[in-house]
Amino acid sequence: ADGERALSLFVDGRQDDGTLWVQQSAALSGVETLAVAAYAESESFNTLAKLAVYAGPDPGRPLTEADFDTSRPTEDHAGWKTYEYSVAHDGPGLVAVGISVVWEAELTRLLDDVRLTDV
């Protein structure tokens, strides 16, 4: 978003489905928000993909699409935009960010500046 590198995610959504993400264990004690920046080449009223975000307890199993907040489209802006999500878990946990395709297309999206903000 403000440097030279970002996470590039490619998903083949030609079957009108698919979620791709990266994840990391994190201490979520005292954390209020999770922020992530997403890049869109151009704004569109068509929703091709949505951000897929999770910040909570480690479920002890692999995450599934149902675990993610996918309420925000990636095409609601042009350029970089930072999205913030409330974190309700207090303790050791898991943070995951990615994309979920909702349109039959092959998509690449860029994510960057994933950060946790304390209370």
Side-chain angles (χ1 to χ4, degrees):
D2 59 1
E4 296 179 14
R5 298 173 195 258
L7 173 65
S8 178
L9 296 171
F10 170 81
V11 63
D12 181 350
R14 291 179 291 177
Q15 287 72 41
D16 196 27
D17 190 25
T19 301
L20 181 64
W21 67 90
V22 295
Q23 67 184 44
Q24 180 175 328
S25 297
L28 298 176
S29 295
V31 172
E32 185 175 24
T33 59
L34 165 65
V36 59
Y39 180 80
E41 192 168 311
S42 61
E43 184 177 5
S44 174
F45 294 105
N46 295 322
T47 300
L48 304 177
K50 295 183 178 184
L51 289 170
V53 176
Y54 178 85
D58 186 334
R61 58 163 172 73
L63 293 173
T64 66
E65 288 182 48
D67 293 316
F68 289 90
D69 178 334
T70 57
S71 61
R72 298 182 178 170
T74 61
E75 295 82 26
D76 65 347
H77 67 284
W80 286 100
K81 179 179 177 179
T82 299
Y83 297 86
E84 291 187 351
Y85 297 84
S86 294
V87 176
H89 181 67
D90 188 26
L94 190 64
V95 171
V97 295
I99 57 172
S100 184
V101 67
V102 295
W103 191 267
E104 293 181 0
E106 295 178 315
L107 300 170
T108 299
R109 294 292 181 265
L110 301 176
L111 302 180
D112 200 7
D113 289 339
V114 178
R115 60 194 177 278
L116 300 170
T117 305
D118 294 338
V119 176

